Protein backbone atom coordinates (compact mmCIF):
# COMPACT_ATOMS: atom_id res chain seq x y z
CA UNK A 1 0.00 0.00 0.00
CA UNK A 2 1.39 3.37 -1.01
CA UNK A 3 1.30 6.21 1.45
CA UNK A 4 1.40 10.01 1.14
CA UNK A 5 2.19 12.03 4.25
CA UNK A 6 1.14 15.67 3.86
CA UNK A 7 2.74 16.95 7.07
CA UNK A 8 5.87 18.40 5.37
CA UNK A 9 3.89 20.48 2.83
CA UNK A 10 0.75 21.39 4.76
CA UNK A 11 1.17 25.17 4.35
CA UNK A 12 1.23 25.42 0.55
CA UNK A 13 -2.07 24.76 -1.27
CA UNK A 14 -0.42 24.37 -4.67
CA UNK A 15 2.09 21.82 -3.35
CA UNK A 16 -0.69 19.86 -1.64
CA UNK A 17 -2.77 19.62 -4.81
CA UNK A 18 0.26 18.71 -6.92
CA UNK A 19 1.35 16.02 -4.46
CA UNK A 20 -2.17 14.56 -4.27
CA UNK A 21 -2.58 14.56 -8.05
CA UNK A 22 0.82 12.93 -8.69
CA UNK A 23 0.23 10.39 -5.94
CA UNK A 24 -3.19 9.32 -7.24
CA UNK A 25 -1.98 9.03 -10.83
CA UNK A 26 1.03 6.97 -9.70
CA UNK A 27 -1.23 4.63 -7.72
CA UNK A 28 -3.56 4.16 -10.68
CA UNK A 29 -0.65 3.46 -13.04
CA UNK A 30 0.95 0.94 -10.70
CA UNK A 31 -2.34 -0.88 -10.11
CA UNK A 32 -2.42 -0.39 -6.36
CA UNK A 33 -5.68 -1.68 -4.82
CA UNK A 34 -5.54 0.81 -1.92
CA UNK A 35 -3.49 3.80 -0.84
CA UNK A 36 -3.40 5.98 2.25
CA UNK A 37 -3.22 9.74 2.56
CA UNK A 38 -2.11 11.09 5.92
CA UNK A 39 -3.28 14.64 6.56
CA UNK A 40 -2.94 14.17 10.32
CA UNK A 41 -5.39 14.89 13.10
CA UNK A 42 -4.71 18.54 13.96
CA UNK A 43 -7.59 20.98 13.53
CA UNK A 44 -9.00 19.03 10.59
CA UNK A 45 -8.46 21.82 8.07
CA UNK A 46 -5.95 19.84 5.97
CA UNK A 47 -8.19 16.78 6.10
CA UNK A 48 -11.15 18.82 4.81
CA UNK A 49 -8.95 20.16 2.02
CA UNK A 50 -7.93 16.62 1.02
CA UNK A 51 -11.54 15.39 1.08
CA UNK A 52 -12.64 18.36 -1.06
CA UNK A 53 -9.87 17.53 -3.54
CA UNK A 54 -10.91 13.87 -3.66
CA UNK A 55 -14.55 14.82 -4.25
CA UNK A 56 -13.80 16.80 -7.42
CA UNK A 57 -15.54 15.22 -10.40
CA UNK A 58 -12.42 14.69 -12.52
CA UNK A 59 -10.47 13.21 -9.59
CA UNK A 60 -13.38 11.02 -8.47
CA UNK A 61 -13.06 9.04 -11.72
CA UNK A 62 -9.66 7.73 -10.63
CA UNK A 63 -10.84 5.73 -7.63
CA UNK A 64 -13.81 3.68 -6.42
CA UNK A 65 -14.25 5.13 -2.92
CA UNK A 66 -12.45 6.70 0.02
CA UNK A 67 -12.97 6.36 3.73
CA UNK A 68 -11.55 7.55 7.01
CA UNK A 69 -9.73 4.95 9.03
CA UNK A 70 -12.06 4.34 12.02
CA UNK A 71 -9.09 3.63 14.30
CA UNK A 72 -7.06 6.63 13.10
CA UNK A 73 -9.00 9.77 12.11
CA UNK A 74 -5.81 11.33 10.70
CA UNK A 75 -5.69 8.81 7.86
CA UNK A 76 -7.76 8.55 4.66
CA UNK A 77 -7.80 5.26 2.76
CA UNK A 78 -8.48 5.42 -1.00
CA UNK A 79 -9.75 2.27 -2.76
CA UNK A 80 -9.12 1.94 -6.49
CA UNK A 81 -11.08 -0.11 -9.00
Amino acid sequence: MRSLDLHPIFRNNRDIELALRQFLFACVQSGEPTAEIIPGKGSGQLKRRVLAFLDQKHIRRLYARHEEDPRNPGRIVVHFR
Side-chain angles (χ1 to χ4, degrees):
M1 178 187 318
R2 285 189 181 211
S3 179
L4 174 64
D5 186 358
L6 294 174
H7 287 100
I9 58 171
F10 73 95
R11 292 181 195 250
N12 190 329
N13 287 337
R14 189 177 312 146
D15 288 347
I16 290 169
E17 284 210 16
L18 180 63
L20 286 168
R21 190 178 312 275
Q22 289 175 344
F23 177 70
L24 289 175
F25 283 124
C27 289
V28 169
Q29 282 185 333
S30 68
E32 293 284 334
T34 59
E36 69 177 354
I37 301 171
I38 304 169
K41 295 177 185 175
S43 67
Q45 186 174 359
L46 181 56
K47 183 177 178 180
R48 285 189 298 274
R49 190 179 306 160
V50 170
L51 292 173
F53 175 83
L54 289 173
D55 287 336
Q56 293 179 41
K57 195 172 194 176
H58 64 285
I59 299 297
R60 183 85 172 106
R61 295 180 188 153
L62 298 174
Y63 64 92
R65 64 186 172 94
H66 64 79
E67 64 188 2
E68 293 181 32
D69 185 346
R71 292 173 288 155
N72 183 356
R75 179 174 173 248
I76 299 169
V77 179
V78 180
H79 299 271
F80 297 95
R81 299 184 169 116

